[in-house]
Amino acid sequence: MAEQPLISLRGLTREYRMDAETVYALRGIELAIGTNEYVAIMGPSGSGKSTLMNVIGCLDTPTRGEYWLNGTEVSRMSDDELARVRNREIGFVFQTFNLLPRATALHNVELPLIYAGTSARERRRAASRALERVGLADRMHHRPNELSGGQRQRVAIARALVNDPSILLADEPTGNLDSVTSQEIMAVFGELHTQGQTVLMVTHEADIAAHAHRVVTLLDGVVHSDSVREAA
Amino acid sequence: MPLFDGLRLALREISAHKLRSFFTLLGIIVSVAFLVAVVAVIQGMNAYVRENLAGAIVGKNAFQIRRTPISVGFIDDEEYRELQRRPIIRAEEVEFVRRAIPDAQAIALQSGWPTPLADVTWRNRTVGDVAVFGVTAPYQMVQDYEMAAGEALIDLDIDDRRRVAVLGFDVADKLFDEIDLAIGRKIRVRGQEVVVKGVTAKKGTVLGQSWDGFVMLPITLFETTYGRRHTTVISVKMPEAYQVASAMERAEEAMRVARRLRPGQPNTFTIDTAEGLISFWKSLTRIIFTVVPAVVAIGVIVGGIVIMNIMLMSVTERTREIGIRKSVGASRADIQRQFLMESICLATMGGLLGILAGWGLAEVVAILSPLPSRVTLWSVALALGLGIGVGVLFGVYPARRAARLDPIVALRFE
C-alpha cells in the first residue's frame, strides 16, 4: 500500500443544527483508504453513511476534522474549489441514476467534461470511450427514458468514469435495480476495480457489500468495524 | 463552461418549451413592437412633413413673408400680444420685395391659411366646403401648378379684378362630367358668379387630405368678398435651393425698409421656410416621444417581471438538474451563467420578435391608413438593447438562486 493514502479522514465530525438542537451525523471518523481499494461502507439508516459519502464526495464539508484527498486538504475549501475537486477527482454513481432526462446518453456522459472545459471533439471521444467501457457503445444516442434501469446505471457509471477520477463513489448503486441487473452492475464495478479504479460504495445490502474487498461499518456516526477480506 | 456550449444549452432549453417561452415573452414583444411601430410612424410622418407637406404648403425652394410665424407652437401671452399687434402684409410690400430680389423665379401674394370655405355651385350641382384662395398670378408658379385644362391666372386678371377662377382638380371633377367641360362655365362661389378659366392637374393627397379641393380667385376679387385677411402672405420662389438663404436676408431688409423700421426695432413680420413648419411638427412629436418611452418602460418592466417569474419557476423545476450539474463539477458561476444566458436569450428573442411585429405593424399602418411609416435603425437598436437589458436585469436573481442551491438538497429534490 502507498505511504500516503488516497483518502485520509481524521476526527471527521459533521453536525447539523436543527433549531436549538445539534444533531451529530458524524462524530469523529478515522479512516484511510488507499489507491485501488474496493471499499463498501455499511450501516443502518441514521448511522451517518450518507453524510460520510457526501463529505468524501465533496458535496458537503465537515464541521470539524480533516479530510485529505490525494495529498491536499479539501475540508476547508470554498464552494468553487470543491466543485473543481468534484469535477477532476470524483465520479458519482447514485441510486436514482440522476441523468439529465432530455439529454442523450452521450451528452450525459460528456457533462463533467463540459465543466472541465474540454474541447467538443475531445469530449465526444472520451464520452464514447467511457460508454464502450460499460458496454453501451450501441446506445449512445438514446435518451434515459429509452434505456432500461441497468443501462441507465451504466450510463451513470460512464459519466463517473469519463473524467478519469481518483475515486468512484457509488451510493446504493443497485438500490433501484432487480437482482439480476444488480449482479451485472456489480460485475461492472468489479471489472473497473481490476483495471485499477478505486471504488467506494455505500450500501446496506450485505450481498452487495460482499463484492468489496474491505467493509467499513458505521454506527451512530463512528466507525464500528473495519474488516479486510482476504480474497483473490 | 465555454460560451458556445452555454448558448446552445440555453437555446435548447427555450425551444423545449416553445409555447411557454412565447407567452413569457409576450410582454416584451408587445412593448417592443409598440416602440418600433410608433417610432416608425412618427419618423415616417416627420419625413412626410419634410418632403411633402412642407413643400406643398410653402412650395419648393420657397419662403414666405408672413405676419406671424408658421410654427405658432407654444408661445407665451407676451409674444402672442406682440404677434397680434403686427400689421397685415400689404400688396404694396410685394413691390419692395421684388426690387430686392430680382433673381426670384416668382413672387406672389396669397390669402394664406387658414382660408375661408365656401360652397361652389354649377347649375344644380354643388360641392361644399371648398377652400377659397385669393392669389396673384405668380402663386401658381410658386406652387408648381400644372394646368389640366384651360389657362392659369395672369396679371391682368388680378389688376382688372376679373371674375375668373382656377379650380382644383377635385372640384372640377365633381362639378363637371369632364374636366374640359369646365372651361368657360359660369359657376357660383359663395353666390358670386365667376367664369372657370382653368383646372389644375392633380396634386394628390397629403395625410389623406386632398390637395386638389380649392378655388383660386384673383386676390383683388377675393378681397372684395372676404376682405384683407390677417393670414395674407408673400411667397418668394428661388430657382435653386442655395439661393434661398441670401434671398431671405434681402427680403428681410426690404420689408424693414417698406415698414420704416429703425435699426434696433424688432421685425413686425416673419420670414419662414418650410423649416418653420417642420420645427412646429417636431415640437408636437417631441411630446409623443416623451410619452412613448414611459409606456414602453412600464411594458418592459412588467415583461421583465414575467420573465423573472418564469425563470424562478424554471429553477425550481430543474432543481435536480442543477444538483446533477453541481455533482459533476459545475461551479456557482457555471450555473449562474447558464440561467442568465437563458434569460438573456429569451429576452433578446422577445426583442427580435417585437421588432418584427412592430415592423409588420408599421407596414400595415402604412398600407391601411394615409399615415406613412419608416422603421429607423435607432429604434431597432434600442429595442434590442432593451431586450438584452431586461434579460440581464431580471435574470440575475433567478440565476443567483439557482447558483446557490445546495447540491445535496438539490439532488434529493423530487
Side-chain angles (χ1 to χ4, degrees):
Chain A
M1 199 125 298
E3 288 165 14
Q4 191 185 39
L6 181 64
I7 290 174
S8 171
L9 308 176
R10 294 172 200 158
L12 200 76
T13 303
R14 181 70 172 97
E15 43 189 64
Y16 296 99
R17 226 166 272 282
M18 287 187 162
D19 298 324
E21 226 175 321
T22 303
V23 178
Y24 292 91
L26 303 174
R27 358 173 145 225
I29 299 273
E30 301 285 339
L31 191 65
I33 295 170
T35 306
N36 198 22
E37 278 200 86
Y38 189 171
V39 183
I41 295 173
M42 294 194 69
S45 55
S47 60
K49 58 185 192 300
S50 284
T51 305
L52 180 62
M53 191 70 160
N54 288 336
V55 171
I56 293 176
C58 292
L59 290 170
D60 200 355
T61 46
T63 317
R64 279 189 300 280
E66 288 172 21
Y67 168 22
W68 291 77
L69 174 65
N70 246 348
T72 47
E73 190 182 2
V74 293
S75 35
R76 301 281 170 263
M77 279 184 174
S78 72
D79 263 17
D80 283 348
E81 286 170 320
L82 288 175
R84 206 155 34 241
V85 174
R86 285 199 294 273
N87 189 242
R88 305 241 166 100
E89 308 279 355
I90 289 160
F92 272 108
V93 177
F94 300 98
Q95 177 178 2
T96 51
F97 320 136
N98 277 335
L99 300 174
L100 297 181
R102 282 201 304 275
T104 61
L106 190 66
H107 184 81
N108 265 295
V109 176
E110 278 184 30
L111 203 56
L113 299 178
I114 290 177
Y115 293 110
T118 314
S119 76
R121 242 199 15 233
E122 183 52 38
R123 249 157 42 199
R124 180 160 285 256
R125 194 161 48 215
S128 314
R129 209 166 44 224
L131 280 166
E132 278 161 23
R133 275 178 84 180
V134 298
L136 277 182
D138 55 340
R139 293 282 190 277
M140 285 186 194
H141 300 289
H142 288 57
R143 287 168 206 281
N145 61 5
E146 298 161 339
L147 298 170
S148 70
Q151 286 170 332
R152 286 183 213 184
Q153 197 59 300
R154 282 165 194 259
V155 174
I157 294 170
R159 180 180 65 192
L161 288 175
V162 76
N163 53 355
D164 208 8
S166 310
I167 179 165
L168 189 61
L169 285 180
D171 188 0
E172 305 273 11
T174 58
N176 278 18
L177 301 174
D178 60 62
S179 59
V180 177
T181 317
S182 296
Q183 290 309 314
E184 284 173 23
I185 293 297
M186 291 322 294
V188 173
F189 279 118
E191 175 67 18
L192 293 171
H193 174 243
T194 49
Q195 288 167 10
Q197 181 67 55
T198 310
V199 181
L200 183 60
M201 183 167 63
V202 165
T203 182
H204 62 270
E205 293 173 68
D207 55 332
I208 296 298
H211 288 83
H213 297 173
R214 177 178 165 195
V215 178
V216 175
T217 314
L218 295 190
L219 198 62
D220 295 331
V222 292
V223 176
H224 177 69
S225 70
D226 188 348
S227 57
V228 177
R229 190 193 320 277
E230 291 308 326
Chain B
M1 184 177 345
L3 193 70
F4 177 71
D5 289 302
L7 192 65
R8 210 172 46 179
L9 184 62
L11 292 178
R12 196 164 46 205
E13 200 56 47
I14 289 167
S15 68
H17 313 276
K18 286 186 191 68
L19 197 63
R20 181 168 99 181
S21 302
F22 174 73
F23 282 116
T24 306
L25 294 178
L26 215 49
I28 300 282
I29 293 174
V30 170
S31 320
V32 166
F34 177 74
L35 173 75
V36 171
V38 169
V39 169
V41 168
I42 291 177
Q43 291 289 336
M45 283 167 84
N46 275 346
Y48 201 74
V49 164
R50 194 158 43 243
E51 291 158 19
N52 301 48
L53 194 59
I57 289 177
V58 178
K60 204 175 167 214
N61 299 339
F63 62 89
Q64 294 185 335
I65 301 158
R66 312 169 52 89
R67 179 167 163 264
T68 55
I70 302 178
S71 50
V72 273
F74 311 96
I75 54 173
D76 56 40
D77 288 356
E78 188 64 30
E79 264 179 289
Y80 180 76
R81 272 196 296 277
E82 190 271 315
L83 290 178
Q84 289 308 305
R85 277 200 299 270
R86 288 180 170 188
I88 298 171
I89 302 285
R90 290 174 302 135
E92 300 75 52
E93 287 164 344
V94 175
E95 216 25 66
F96 283 86
V97 174
R98 186 173 294 140
R99 276 204 298 271
I101 315 171
D103 49 341
Q105 192 181 347
I107 298 177
L109 187 70
Q110 78 221 46
S111 56
W113 287 99
T115 198
L117 301 177
D119 288 352
V120 177
T121 313
W122 181 64
R123 293 188 182 161
N124 57 349
R125 296 189 192 177
T126 301
V127 180
D129 290 339
V130 176
V132 182
F133 294 104
V135 301
T136 58
Y139 176 73
Q140 298 161 109
M141 204 185 279
V142 171
Q143 285 289 337
D144 295 313
Y145 279 128
E146 305 274 340
M147 303 309 286
E151 288 165 4
L153 298 174
I154 57 171
D155 290 341
L156 271 180
D157 293 328
I158 284 84
D159 297 343
D160 295 354
R161 200 191 293 161
R162 288 179 181 165
R163 311 188 68 78
V164 292
V166 167
L167 302 185
F169 187 90
D170 287 357
V171 177
D173 195 41
K174 281 178 197 153
L175 280 182
F176 302 97
D177 298 324
E178 268 181 63
I179 300 297
D180 292 326
L181 294 179
I183 309 306
R185 303 286 174 184
K186 286 180 179 167
I187 59 168
R188 286 180 179 279
V189 178
R190 205 194 183 195
Q192 269 209 5
E193 204 171 67
V194 291
V195 175
V196 178
K197 196 178 180 203
V199 177
T200 62
K202 227 174 168 44
K203 270 213 165 182
T205 57
V206 172
L207 294 177
Q209 194 79 33
S210 165
W211 216 241
D212 298 299
F214 62 85
V215 174
M216 271 191 293
L217 302 175
I219 190 162
T220 43
L221 179 67
F222 175 88
E223 288 182 348
T224 57
T225 308
Y226 297 101
R228 176 147 299 167
R229 310 264 310 164
H230 288 275
T231 52
T232 302
V233 301
I234 298 170
S235 291
V236 179
K237 183 186 187 70
M238 301 306 292
E240 299 293 338
Y242 73 86
Q243 298 167 314
V244 172
S246 104
M248 282 172 79
E249 282 172 28
R250 283 179 280 155
E252 184 180 354
E253 215 36 62
M255 283 300 291
R256 289 185 67 87
V257 170
R259 294 198 163 174
R260 298 167 195 274
L261 296 173
R262 283 191 302 276
Q265 267 188 306
N267 288 344
T268 55
F269 55 90
T270 300
I271 298 187
D272 243 341
T273 60
E275 283 306 314
L277 190 67
I278 292 167
S279 69
F280 173 55
W281 166 255
K282 279 192 172 157
S283 68
L284 274 179
T285 54
R286 206 167 299 134
I287 300 171
I288 304 174
F289 271 137
T290 52
V291 175
V292 167
V295 175
V296 170
I298 292 169
V300 163
I301 289 171
V302 172
I305 292 171
V306 172
I307 290 182
M308 185 163 74
N309 263 312
I310 296 293
M311 288 308 295
L312 283 173
M313 191 175 100
S314 173
V315 168
T316 307
E317 259 180 20
R318 285 150 69 191
T319 298
R320 203 183 176 102
E321 176 194 325
I322 295 164
I324 294 169
R325 289 182 183 278
K326 283 197 154 188
S327 74
V328 300
S331 65
R332 281 186 179 196
D334 285 324
I335 300 294
Q336 183 164 333
R337 207 174 309 135
Q338 179 188 340
F339 281 87
L340 200 55
M341 187 84 86
E342 206 173 307
S343 60
I344 292 172
C345 281
L346 210 55
T348 306
M349 276 182 188
L352 287 173
L353 288 175
I355 289 167
L356 283 181
W359 197 316
L361 197 65
E363 287 298 317
V364 168
V365 165
I367 291 166
L368 296 185
S369 80
L371 296 175
S373 77
R374 219 169 262 195
V375 174
T376 50
L377 190 65
W378 69 261
S379 70
V380 169
L382 179 68
L384 209 56
L386 266 182
I388 296 168
V390 164
V392 174
L393 199 67
F394 292 94
V396 164
Y397 177 63
R400 289 181 79 98
R401 278 263 293 245
R404 286 195 181 151
L405 281 174
D406 179 348
I408 299 168
V409 176
L411 278 170
R412 258 190 242 125
F413 187 83
E414 290 298 327

